[in-house]
Structures are given as C-alpha cells and as structure tokens.
Amino acid sequence: MSMYDPQYKEIREMVSKFADSEVAPIAAKIDHDGEIPKDLIKKLYENGFMGSYIPEELGGAGMDYMSYAIIVEEISRGCASTGVLISAHTSLAMWPILNFGTDAQKKKYLPGMAGGNVIGCFCLSEPNAGSDPGTLTTFAEDKGDHFVLSGTKNYITNGRDAGVAIVMAKTEKSSDHKGVTAFIVETKTEGFHVQKLEDKLGIKGSTTAQIWLDKVKVPKENVLGELGKGFKVALSTLDGGRIGIAAQALGIAEAAFRYAKKYSTQRIQFGKPISELQAIQFMLADMSTAIAASRLLIAHASYLKDNKLPYSKEAAQAKLFASESCMHITTKAIQVLGGNGYTKEYPVERHFRDAKITEIYEGTSEIQRIVIAANELKNL
Ligand code: CAA
C-alpha cells in the first residue's frame, strides 16, 4: 500500500485530534514536571497507540509500520517525551519479541504490553559501550535451567517504568560482538535495580535510567532468538527503531514550524507582519521543504519494512535527515520568534531542546552515516 492510501489520512486525522486535545495542551507541564501523567499513558493504551503494530490476536491494533510511524509523528508533535515513550516501547521492546520470539514468548508478553499497561524498554548501551555496543560487558552466566545476568545498562528510555526489558548480555567472554545473547527480563525480578535517573536537556518527561543488573535470574525459556545471536537481534531492532526516532524528529519539527509560521503572521515589525519579509519567508520555505522530505524518507523506509524488503540503509537515511532537519528547523523557529523564542513563555525553546536527542539516541548521526556508507559500498 502506498503512503497516499486514504487509510493513512484517516489514521493521521484520528491521532492528530488526540494529540491536539490530550497531549499538546499538557506538553509544557510534562516538560516542567519531568513526568508523563499516568492518566495520559492509560489513554495511549486505550486508543491502541501502545500496541498499534501488534497483531490483533496478540492484543494489538494490527496496524502496519507506516501507521505506527504516523502515530509517533503526531504524538511527538504534541509532546516529544510521549512520542519516545511509544517509540521505544513499540520498536525496541515489542518488535524484537514479535520478530524473534517463540509463540510462547509472544503469548506471554505481547498482550500485556500492547493493551495491558505493561511498558517495555531496551537495554543495550553501557557506561563503556555506546556507539560500539559489541564491547558490552554485561555477562549472563549459564546455571543450567537459568542464566544469571550481571552488569550496568545506561540511558534506558522507559527504564524506570518498564515491566519488560530486552537485555543484551554476553553468554561467552569476547572483546567484540560475538557471544551476545538477547534476553526477555521481567523487571520485577530480584536484582533489577533502577540505579539513577538522568537529568537531561530535553525530552524531560521521558525517563532515562541507569539499570544495575545485580545477579538477575532469567529462565532459559527467556532467551530471545538464538543463543549467541543477540547482536543481530539488537541491530535489526535498532533498524526499525530508527524509523520511529525519525518520526519523532519530524513531529517535533512540524510543531516548531507551525508555531513559527503562525507567529510570523501576527508579529508586527517595520509596520507589517514579519511573514511579509522575504528573510522570514525563506526560513519558512526551507523548513517546509525539509519537513516534506523527512516525511517521504520515513514513508519510504516504512514501506520497505512493511513489504519485507531490506530497509537498514533507508531507516538510517530517514533518521539522519529527519533528526538533522529537526535541529535546524527548531533553531530557525527560535530565530523567527527572536527574543520571544528564547524564553519559556513560548514552546519553541522546548522543541529546540527536545530536538537534540534525535541526533544522538538509537545511533548518532555519525553512526547513521556509517550504516549508509557501508550499505552503499557493498553495492558497487
Ligand atoms: N541487522 C542485523 N545484523 C547486523 C546489522 C543489522 N542492521 N548490521 C550489522 N549486523 C551484523 C553483521 O552482519 C555482523 O554479523 P556477523 O558477525 O555474523 O558477521 C555483526 O552484526 C557485526 O557487524 P559489524 O562488524 O558491521 O558491526 P560493528 O560492531 O562494526 O557495528 C555499527 C556497526 C553500525 C556501528 C553498530 O555497532 C551500531 O549501530 N552502533 C550504534 C548502536 C546504537 O544505535 N546504540 C543505541 C542504543 S539504544 C538507545 O539509544 C537507548 C534507548 O532507549 C532509546
């Protein structure tokens, strides 16, 4: 199905209404309080936004990835913290269970995560393993019918509130990615500790936790995918996650653009609205073009994923372009508002702070360029 199919327009209208009425009005408060209200999270579940991509028989809404990306974009337009709650939960925690899990794992975990208020998180990064995750040192010791996981995981989105965590740990000692295994870990298990919460520049309503795994017992049936093949689980999960972050960046950019555009028609300088000045018009034109291009790249990567075609490069391109555009657009939105844009009375300073992380998490812009170049160079 193409991105122009009317079903996507309908989904966008539905989510857009929700974002305008339930999310955007409290986004400044979420940013200020550093907390997404539980009541809003409940509504996200009730509307099917937390389980959009999960098949109906597993408790989800049975939508495709294109629809999921629209949901993340529209919710992020309302509030970037709420957008990444959905994105990390869906792409990084539920998708690997759906794609690599056994039937028993899917039936055990996905209904609760899709519709039963169980939040998911993804534990790959460590204090000394960020862009180079193959060097992670969390170890899973084989104890016969279970493993015992020990280590520290960093920058875990949803880490404080998750009920289910996808955890990457080594089941063989190695200095590179070999021997990494993925596990489904229930966070209520003894030894799963939220060690600290990060105080961040933006997406302040999204919790970012350091997790200490202190001899966490995980049954053998919770190995996700094959033993020793967890690096592939992690990297292919991130391929899909990057489409979600691109959609989050697009939502933030759209919010900043809409605000700046409207403001420019109301702000009078030199005896006329500043929207009549070509300097402002050119900024708006560039913002509009980058937003349109981001949306097309996201739709293209989603289309490939939905049609089971390779999408690693295209997901990286969507994330790279949408996140760097978002940073530029939010910078220019402040410029359009001038001094007002720099104050907390106006929302564009929040959009600017929220934008920066999209160039960093789920692979920095430099990592996206590595992925894109590697894919190009293998096709000579
Ligand atoms: N899908 C599946 N497998 C893949 C893959 C992909 N996209 N890319 C590579 N692989 C496989 C390779 O085929 C190879 O397999 P073999 O051992 O069987 O040959 C293996 O993985 C290693 O490949 P590379 O040698 O290319 O791996 P590398 O270690 O050099 O890494 C990299 C490449 C692109 C730099 C990768 O490490 C990477 O993406 N780094 C960034 C990590 C990242 O995004 N971290 C974000 C963490 S999540 C987060 O942000 C927190 C949050 O909660 C939001």
mmCIF file with all atom_site columns, all heavy atoms in Angstrom, residues 347-365:
data_model
loop_
_atom_site.group_PDB
_atom_site.id
_atom_site.type_symbol
_atom_site.label_atom_id
_atom_site.label_alt_id
_atom_site.label_comp_id
_atom_site.label_asym_id
_atom_site.label_entity_id
_atom_site.label_seq_id
_atom_site.pdbx_PDB_ins_code
_atom_site.Cartn_x
_atom_site.Cartn_y
_atom_site.Cartn_z
_atom_site.occupancy
_atom_site.B_iso_or_equiv
_atom_site.pdbx_formal_charge
_atom_site.auth_seq_id
_atom_site.auth_comp_id
_atom_site.auth_asym_id
_atom_site.auth_atom_id
_atom_site.pdbx_PDB_model_num
ATOM 1   N N   . PRO A 1 347 ? 6.678  27.916 23.105 1.00 0.00 ? 347 PRO A N   1
ATOM 2   C CA  . PRO A 1 347 ? 7.059  26.487 23.103 1.00 0.00 ? 347 PRO A CA  1
ATOM 3   C C   . PRO A 1 347 ? 8.296  26.146 22.278 1.00 0.00 ? 347 PRO A C   1
ATOM 4   O O   . PRO A 1 347 ? 8.823  25.045 22.404 1.00 0.00 ? 347 PRO A O   1
ATOM 5   C CB  . PRO A 1 347 ? 5.828  25.803 22.506 1.00 0.00 ? 347 PRO A CB  1
ATOM 6   C CG  . PRO A 1 347 ? 5.190  26.841 21.643 1.00 0.00 ? 347 PRO A CG  1
ATOM 7   C CD  . PRO A 1 347 ? 5.456  28.158 22.307 1.00 0.00 ? 347 PRO A CD  1
ATOM 8   N N   . VAL A 1 348 ? 8.778  27.083 21.447 1.00 0.00 ? 348 VAL A N   1
ATOM 9   C CA  . VAL A 1 348 ? 9.848  26.666 20.522 1.00 0.00 ? 348 VAL A CA  1
ATOM 10  C C   . VAL A 1 348 ? 11.170 26.359 21.223 1.00 0.00 ? 348 VAL A C   1
ATOM 11  O O   . VAL A 1 348 ? 11.954 25.557 20.717 1.00 0.00 ? 348 VAL A O   1
ATOM 12  C CB  . VAL A 1 348 ? 10.046 27.669 19.350 1.00 0.00 ? 348 VAL A CB  1
ATOM 13  C CG1 . VAL A 1 348 ? 8.884  27.585 18.364 1.00 0.00 ? 348 VAL A CG1 1
ATOM 14  C CG2 . VAL A 1 348 ? 10.251 29.082 19.845 1.00 0.00 ? 348 VAL A CG2 1
ATOM 15  N N   . GLU A 1 349 ? 11.399 26.963 22.400 1.00 0.00 ? 349 GLU A N   1
ATOM 16  C CA  . GLU A 1 349 ? 12.644 26.611 23.108 1.00 0.00 ? 349 GLU A CA  1
ATOM 17  C C   . GLU A 1 349 ? 12.583 25.153 23.577 1.00 0.00 ? 349 GLU A C   1
ATOM 18  O O   . GLU A 1 349 ? 13.593 24.452 23.605 1.00 0.00 ? 349 GLU A O   1
ATOM 19  C CB  . GLU A 1 349 ? 12.969 27.595 24.246 1.00 0.00 ? 349 GLU A CB  1
ATOM 20  C CG  . GLU A 1 349 ? 12.036 27.592 25.449 1.00 0.00 ? 349 GLU A CG  1
ATOM 21  C CD  . GLU A 1 349 ? 12.305 26.503 26.466 1.00 0.00 ? 349 GLU A CD  1
ATOM 22  O OE1 . GLU A 1 349 ? 13.464 26.148 26.663 1.00 0.00 ? 349 GLU A OE1 1
ATOM 23  O OE2 . GLU A 1 349 ? 11.321 26.011 27.072 1.00 0.00 ? 349 GLU A OE2 1
ATOM 24  N N   . ARG A 1 350 ? 11.383 24.670 23.925 1.00 0.00 ? 350 ARG A N   1
ATOM 25  C CA  . ARG A 1 350 ? 11.226 23.244 24.297 1.00 0.00 ? 350 ARG A CA  1
ATOM 26  C C   . ARG A 1 350 ? 11.463 22.358 23.070 1.00 0.00 ? 350 ARG A C   1
ATOM 27  O O   . ARG A 1 350 ? 12.165 21.340 23.162 1.00 0.00 ? 350 ARG A O   1
ATOM 28  C CB  . ARG A 1 350 ? 9.839  22.999 24.897 1.00 0.00 ? 350 ARG A CB  1
ATOM 29  C CG  . ARG A 1 350 ? 9.488  21.520 25.067 1.00 0.00 ? 350 ARG A CG  1
ATOM 30  C CD  . ARG A 1 350 ? 8.281  21.314 25.973 1.00 0.00 ? 350 ARG A CD  1
ATOM 31  N NE  . ARG A 1 350 ? 7.171  22.167 25.621 1.00 0.00 ? 350 ARG A NE  1
ATOM 32  C CZ  . ARG A 1 350 ? 6.258  21.877 24.675 1.00 0.00 ? 350 ARG A CZ  1
ATOM 33  N NH1 . ARG A 1 350 ? 6.346  20.758 23.980 1.00 0.00 ? 350 ARG A NH1 1
ATOM 34  N NH2 . ARG A 1 350 ? 5.269  22.717 24.410 1.00 0.00 ? 350 ARG A NH2 1
ATOM 35  N N   . HIS A 1 351 ? 10.912 22.767 21.938 1.00 0.00 ? 351 HIS A N   1
ATOM 36  C CA  . HIS A 1 351 ? 11.121 21.955 20.722 1.00 0.00 ? 351 HIS A CA  1
ATOM 37  C C   . HIS A 1 351 ? 12.620 21.866 20.394 1.00 0.00 ? 351 HIS A C   1
ATOM 38  O O   . HIS A 1 351 ? 13.116 20.806 20.009 1.00 0.00 ? 351 HIS A O   1
ATOM 39  C CB  . HIS A 1 351 ? 10.368 22.558 19.532 1.00 0.00 ? 351 HIS A CB  1
ATOM 40  C CG  . HIS A 1 351 ? 8.879  22.658 19.763 1.00 0.00 ? 351 HIS A CG  1
ATOM 41  N ND1 . HIS A 1 351 ? 8.156  21.685 20.387 1.00 0.00 ? 351 HIS A ND1 1
ATOM 42  C CD2 . HIS A 1 351 ? 7.981  23.627 19.435 1.00 0.00 ? 351 HIS A CD2 1
ATOM 43  C CE1 . HIS A 1 351 ? 6.882  22.044 20.453 1.00 0.00 ? 351 HIS A CE1 1
ATOM 44  N NE2 . HIS A 1 351 ? 6.749  23.220 19.882 1.00 0.00 ? 351 HIS A NE2 1
ATOM 45  N N   . PHE A 1 352 ? 13.322 22.988 20.570 1.00 0.00 ? 352 PHE A N   1
ATOM 46  C CA  . PHE A 1 352 ? 14.763 23.046 20.302 1.00 0.00 ? 352 PHE A CA  1
ATOM 47  C C   . PHE A 1 352 ? 15.519 22.088 21.243 1.00 0.00 ? 352 PHE A C   1
ATOM 48  O O   . PHE A 1 352 ? 16.382 21.320 20.812 1.00 0.00 ? 352 PHE A O   1
ATOM 49  C CB  . PHE A 1 352 ? 15.214 24.500 20.510 1.00 0.00 ? 352 PHE A CB  1
ATOM 50  C CG  . PHE A 1 352 ? 16.679 24.762 20.465 1.00 0.00 ? 352 PHE A CG  1
ATOM 51  C CD1 . PHE A 1 352 ? 17.346 24.920 19.267 1.00 0.00 ? 352 PHE A CD1 1
ATOM 52  C CD2 . PHE A 1 352 ? 17.411 24.909 21.649 1.00 0.00 ? 352 PHE A CD2 1
ATOM 53  C CE1 . PHE A 1 352 ? 18.713 25.209 19.235 1.00 0.00 ? 352 PHE A CE1 1
ATOM 54  C CE2 . PHE A 1 352 ? 18.769 25.193 21.620 1.00 0.00 ? 352 PHE A CE2 1
ATOM 55  C CZ  . PHE A 1 352 ? 19.417 25.336 20.407 1.00 0.00 ? 352 PHE A CZ  1
ATOM 56  N N   . ARG A 1 353 ? 15.132 22.092 22.534 1.00 0.00 ? 353 ARG A N   1
ATOM 57  C CA  . ARG A 1 353 ? 15.816 21.197 23.485 1.00 0.00 ? 353 ARG A CA  1
ATOM 58  C C   . ARG A 1 353 ? 15.471 19.730 23.184 1.00 0.00 ? 353 ARG A C   1
ATOM 59  O O   . ARG A 1 353 ? 16.316 18.847 23.277 1.00 0.00 ? 353 ARG A O   1
ATOM 60  C CB  . ARG A 1 353 ? 15.427 21.556 24.931 1.00 0.00 ? 353 ARG A CB  1
ATOM 61  C CG  . ARG A 1 353 ? 16.065 22.845 25.418 1.00 0.00 ? 353 ARG A CG  1
ATOM 62  C CD  . ARG A 1 353 ? 15.758 23.106 26.891 1.00 0.00 ? 353 ARG A CD  1
ATOM 63  N NE  . ARG A 1 353 ? 14.383 23.496 27.156 1.00 0.00 ? 353 ARG A NE  1
ATOM 64  C CZ  . ARG A 1 353 ? 13.444 22.708 27.694 1.00 0.00 ? 353 ARG A CZ  1
ATOM 65  N NH1 . ARG A 1 353 ? 13.751 21.471 28.059 1.00 0.00 ? 353 ARG A NH1 1
ATOM 66  N NH2 . ARG A 1 353 ? 12.215 23.158 27.901 1.00 0.00 ? 353 ARG A NH2 1
ATOM 67  N N   . ASP A 1 354 ? 14.202 19.490 22.831 1.00 0.00 ? 354 ASP A N   1
ATOM 68  C CA  . ASP A 1 354 ? 13.773 18.113 22.535 1.00 0.00 ? 354 ASP A CA  1
ATOM 69  C C   . ASP A 1 354 ? 14.431 17.582 21.256 1.00 0.00 ? 354 ASP A C   1
ATOM 70  O O   . ASP A 1 354 ? 14.657 16.378 21.120 1.00 0.00 ? 354 ASP A O   1
ATOM 71  C CB  . ASP A 1 354 ? 12.241 18.051 22.364 1.00 0.00 ? 354 ASP A CB  1
ATOM 72  C CG  . ASP A 1 354 ? 11.493 18.223 23.684 1.00 0.00 ? 354 ASP A CG  1
ATOM 73  O OD1 . ASP A 1 354 ? 12.111 18.066 24.760 1.00 0.00 ? 354 ASP A OD1 1
ATOM 74  O OD2 . ASP A 1 354 ? 10.276 18.515 23.646 1.00 0.00 ? 354 ASP A OD2 1
ATOM 75  N N   . ALA A 1 355 ? 14.724 18.487 20.321 1.00 0.00 ? 355 ALA A N   1
ATOM 76  C CA  . ALA A 1 355 ? 15.259 18.056 19.018 1.00 0.00 ? 355 ALA A CA  1
ATOM 77  C C   . ALA A 1 355 ? 16.618 17.365 19.148 1.00 0.00 ? 355 ALA A C   1
ATOM 78  O O   . ALA A 1 355 ? 16.890 16.376 18.465 1.00 0.00 ? 355 ALA A O   1
ATOM 79  C CB  . ALA A 1 355 ? 15.395 19.269 18.084 1.00 0.00 ? 355 ALA A CB  1
ATOM 80  N N   . LYS A 1 356 ? 17.470 17.870 20.042 1.00 0.00 ? 356 LYS A N   1
ATOM 81  C CA  . LYS A 1 356 ? 18.883 17.449 20.035 1.00 0.00 ? 356 LYS A CA  1
ATOM 82  C C   . LYS A 1 356 ? 19.068 15.934 20.191 1.00 0.00 ? 356 LYS A C   1
ATOM 83  O O   . LYS A 1 356 ? 19.912 15.324 19.533 1.00 0.00 ? 356 LYS A O   1
ATOM 84  C CB  . LYS A 1 356 ? 19.658 18.206 21.119 1.00 0.00 ? 356 LYS A CB  1
ATOM 85  C CG  . LYS A 1 356 ? 21.151 17.940 21.125 1.00 0.00 ? 356 LYS A CG  1
ATOM 86  C CD  . LYS A 1 356 ? 21.833 18.353 19.815 1.00 0.00 ? 356 LYS A CD  1
ATOM 87  C CE  . LYS A 1 356 ? 23.129 17.607 19.596 1.00 0.00 ? 356 LYS A CE  1
ATOM 88  N NZ  . LYS A 1 356 ? 23.718 17.861 18.269 1.00 0.00 ? 356 LYS A NZ  1
ATOM 89  N N   . ILE A 1 357 ? 18.257 15.334 21.061 1.00 0.00 ? 357 ILE A N   1
ATOM 90  C CA  . ILE A 1 357 ? 18.454 13.890 21.327 1.00 0.00 ? 357 ILE A CA  1
ATOM 91  C C   . ILE A 1 357 ? 18.218 13.037 20.085 1.00 0.00 ? 357 ILE A C   1
ATOM 92  O O   . ILE A 1 357 ? 18.790 11.950 19.944 1.00 0.00 ? 357 ILE A O   1
ATOM 93  C CB  . ILE A 1 357 ? 17.567 13.419 22.513 1.00 0.00 ? 357 ILE A CB  1
ATOM 94  C CG1 . ILE A 1 357 ? 17.950 12.004 22.968 1.00 0.00 ? 357 ILE A CG1 1
ATOM 95  C CG2 . ILE A 1 357 ? 16.082 13.460 22.170 1.00 0.00 ? 357 ILE A CG2 1
ATOM 96  C CD1 . ILE A 1 357 ? 19.347 11.857 23.480 1.00 0.00 ? 357 ILE A CD1 1
ATOM 97  N N   . THR A 1 358 ? 17.398 13.558 19.147 1.00 0.00 ? 358 THR A N   1
ATOM 98  C CA  . THR A 1 358 ? 17.103 12.721 17.967 1.00 0.00 ? 358 THR A CA  1
ATOM 99  C C   . THR A 1 358 ? 18.355 12.524 17.095 1.00 0.00 ? 358 THR A C   1
ATOM 100 O O   . THR A 1 358 ? 18.400 11.599 16.280 1.00 0.00 ? 358 THR A O   1
ATOM 101 C CB  . THR A 1 358 ? 15.934 13.293 17.117 1.00 0.00 ? 358 THR A CB  1
ATOM 102 O OG1 . THR A 1 358 ? 16.319 14.539 16.541 1.00 0.00 ? 358 THR A OG1 1
ATOM 103 C CG2 . THR A 1 358 ? 14.681 13.479 17.949 1.00 0.00 ? 358 THR A CG2 1
ATOM 104 N N   . GLU A 1 359 ? 19.347 13.399 17.290 1.00 0.00 ? 359 GLU A N   1
ATOM 105 C CA  . GLU A 1 359 ? 20.620 13.218 16.551 1.00 0.00 ? 359 GLU A CA  1
ATOM 106 C C   . GLU A 1 359 ? 21.564 12.273 17.302 1.00 0.00 ? 359 GLU A C   1
ATOM 107 O O   . GLU A 1 359 ? 22.680 12.031 16.841 1.00 0.00 ? 359 GLU A O   1
ATOM 108 C CB  . GLU A 1 359 ? 21.344 14.564 16.391 1.00 0.00 ? 359 GLU A CB  1
ATOM 109 C CG  . GLU A 1 359 ? 20.640 15.545 15.467 1.00 0.00 ? 359 GLU A CG  1
ATOM 110 C CD  . GLU A 1 359 ? 21.452 16.832 15.307 1.00 0.00 ? 359 GLU A CD  1
ATOM 111 O OE1 . GLU A 1 359 ? 22.019 17.330 16.311 1.00 0.00 ? 359 GLU A OE1 1
ATOM 112 O OE2 . GLU A 1 359 ? 21.518 17.351 14.184 1.00 0.00 ? 359 GLU A OE2 1
ATOM 113 N N   . ILE A 1 360 ? 21.120 11.816 18.482 1.00 0.00 ? 360 ILE A N   1
ATOM 114 C CA  . ILE A 1 360 ? 22.021 11.017 19.319 1.00 0.00 ? 360 ILE A CA  1
ATOM 115 C C   . ILE A 1 360 ? 21.516 9.592  19.549 1.00 0.00 ? 360 ILE A C   1
ATOM 116 O O   . ILE A 1 360 ? 22.219 8.620  19.250 1.00 0.00 ? 360 ILE A O   1
ATOM 117 C CB  . ILE A 1 360 ? 22.269 11.742 20.671 1.00 0.00 ? 360 ILE A CB  1
ATOM 118 C CG1 . ILE A 1 360 ? 22.964 13.088 20.424 1.00 0.00 ? 360 ILE A CG1 1
ATOM 119 C CG2 . ILE A 1 360 ? 23.098 10.861 21.605 1.00 0.00 ? 360 ILE A CG2 1
ATOM 120 C CD1 . ILE A 1 360 ? 23.056 13.989 21.638 1.00 0.00 ? 360 ILE A CD1 1
ATOM 121 N N   . TYR A 1 361 ? 20.268 9.465  20.120 1.00 0.00 ? 361 TYR A N   1
ATOM 122 C CA  . TYR A 1 361 ? 19.903 8.097  20.519 1.00 0.00 ? 361 TYR A CA  1
ATOM 123 C C   . TYR A 1 361 ? 19.496 7.222  19.330 1.00 0.00 ? 361 TYR A C   1
ATOM 124 O O   . TYR A 1 361 ? 19.216 7.708  18.255 1.00 0.00 ? 361 TYR A O   1
ATOM 125 C CB  . TYR A 1 361 ? 18.926 8.040  21.679 1.00 0.00 ? 361 TYR A CB  1
ATOM 126 C CG  . TYR A 1 361 ? 17.565 8.698  21.625 1.00 0.00 ? 361 TYR A CG  1
ATOM 127 C CD1 . TYR A 1 361 ? 16.954 9.116  20.468 1.00 0.00 ? 361 TYR A CD1 1
ATOM 128 C CD2 . TYR A 1 361 ? 16.870 8.864  22.831 1.00 0.00 ? 361 TYR A CD2 1
ATOM 129 C CE1 . TYR A 1 361 ? 15.694 9.688  20.492 1.00 0.00 ? 361 TYR A CE1 1
ATOM 130 C CE2 . TYR A 1 361 ? 15.603 9.441  22.867 1.00 0.00 ? 361 TYR A CE2 1
ATOM 131 C CZ  . TYR A 1 361 ? 15.022 9.844  21.682 1.00 0.00 ? 361 TYR A CZ  1
ATOM 132 O OH  . TYR A 1 361 ? 13.788 10.399 21.711 1.00 0.00 ? 361 TYR A OH  1
ATOM 133 N N   . GLU A 1 362 ? 19.575 5.912  19.604 1.00 0.00 ? 362 GLU A N   1
ATOM 134 C CA  . GLU A 1 362 ? 19.379 4.870  18.586 1.00 0.00 ? 362 GLU A CA  1
ATOM 135 C C   . GLU A 1 362 ? 20.370 5.031  17.418 1.00 0.00 ? 362 GLU A C   1
ATOM 136 O O   . GLU A 1 362 ? 20.055 4.772  16.255 1.00 0.00 ? 362 GLU A O   1
ATOM 137 C CB  . GLU A 1 362 ? 17.913 4.804  18.143 1.00 0.00 ? 362 GLU A CB  1
ATOM 138 C CG  . GLU A 1 362 ? 17.022 4.486  19.337 1.00 0.00 ? 362 GLU A CG  1
ATOM 139 C CD  . GLU A 1 362 ? 15.662 3.983  19.018 1.00 0.00 ? 362 GLU A CD  1
ATOM 140 O OE1 . GLU A 1 362 ? 15.484 3.327  17.993 1.00 0.00 ? 362 GLU A OE1 1
ATOM 141 O OE2 . GLU A 1 362 ? 14.753 4.244  19.832 1.00 0.00 ? 362 GLU A OE2 1
ATOM 142 N N   . GLY A 1 363 ? 21.563 5.490  17.788 1.00 0.00 ? 363 GLY A N   1
ATOM 143 C CA  . GLY A 1 363 ? 22.643 5.690  16.822 1.00 0.00 ? 363 GLY A CA  1
ATOM 144 C C   . GLY A 1 363 ? 22.781 7.163  16.471 1.00 0.00 ? 363 GLY A C   1
ATOM 145 O O   . GLY A 1 363 ? 21.847 7.777  15.969 1.00 0.00 ? 363 GLY A O   1
ATOM 146 N N   . THR A 1 364 ? 23.962 7.720  16.751 1.00 0.00 ? 364 THR A N   1
ATOM 147 C CA  . THR A 1 364 ? 24.222 9.129  16.436 1.00 0.00 ? 364 THR A CA  1
ATOM 148 C C   . THR A 1 364 ? 24.162 9.356  14.920 1.00 0.00 ? 364 THR A C   1
ATOM 149 O O   . THR A 1 364 ? 24.168 8.402  14.139 1.00 0.00 ? 364 THR A O   1
ATOM 150 C CB  . THR A 1 364 ? 25.637 9.532  16.915 1.00 0.00 ? 364 THR A CB  1
ATOM 151 O OG1 . THR A 1 364 ? 26.570 8.680  16.220 1.00 0.00 ? 364 THR A OG1 1
ATOM 152 C CG2 . THR A 1 364 ? 25.813 9.348  18.421 1.00 0.00 ? 364 THR A CG2 1
ATOM 153 N N   . SER A 1 365 ? 24.181 10.626 14.524 1.00 0.00 ? 365 SER A N   1
ATOM 154 C CA  . SER A 1 365 ? 24.200 10.928 13.080 1.00 0.00 ? 365 SER A CA  1
ATOM 155 C C   . SER A 1 365 ? 25.426 10.292 12.414 1.00 0.00 ? 365 SER A C   1
ATOM 156 O O   . SER A 1 365 ? 25.357 9.848  11.265 1.00 0.00 ? 365 SER A O   1
ATOM 157 C CB  . SER A 1 365 ? 24.244 12.442 12.858 1.00 0.00 ? 365 SER A CB  1
ATOM 158 O OG  . SER A 1 365 ? 22.998 13.006 13.191 1.00 0.00 ? 365 SER A OG  1
#
